[in-house]
Every structure is written in C-alpha cells, then in structure tokens.
Amino acid sequence: MPGADLAALRPDDAFRDALELDSLGFLSFIETLSRRTGVRIDDEDTPRLVTLSGCAEFLTSHPE
C-alpha cells in the first residue's frame, strides 16, 4: 500500500484490488478499523468491508 493513491479510491472500489492488499494487509486494515471505531468486527462481517461504501454502511448500522 505504500505509494497508493488514496484520493483515487472510489466508494465502490474493492480495497484489495485498488490498494494491492494481500490477506495480511486486509486483516490489518480490519483490525485497525475495529480498534479506531470501537466497533466489533466478526469474521462473518468482513465481506461487507471490502469497499469504502461497505465500510460506511457497516459502521453506521453498528453504533458504538
């Protein structure tokens, strides 16, 4: 992800493709998202979190 153009990331772009994240990078993103928002993210939630819009929808439907 170093050097990734985050400004070019569109709401429905898949993170893993757009940012060239491998499995560990995506897992790190999910853990950071959970830690920074205080929202518990279970394994079954991760398919919803592959885009910016998916993350926004998930987080707004799971208040702290």
Side-chain angles (χ1 to χ4, degrees):
M1 186 158 92
D5 184 6
L6 299 178
L9 188 63
R10 296 181 313 229
D12 293 321
D13 287 344
F15 290 126
R16 290 187 71 172
D17 296 335
L19 302 177
E20 299 179 7
L21 292 176
D22 60 13
S23 297
L24 292 176
F26 183 68
L27 179 60
S28 177
F29 164 74
I30 296 298
E31 290 172 347
T32 301
L33 182 65
S34 178
R35 187 175 57 251
R36 290 194 178 177
T37 62
V39 175
R40 180 185 167 113
I41 301 174
D42 296 317
D43 289 341
E44 62 267 11
D45 298 322
T46 58
R48 298 174 58 191
L49 304 172
V50 296
T51 64
L52 286 175
S53 59
C55 287
E57 289 173 17
F58 177 82
L59 293 173
T60 57
S61 67
H62 291 82
E64 293 180 57

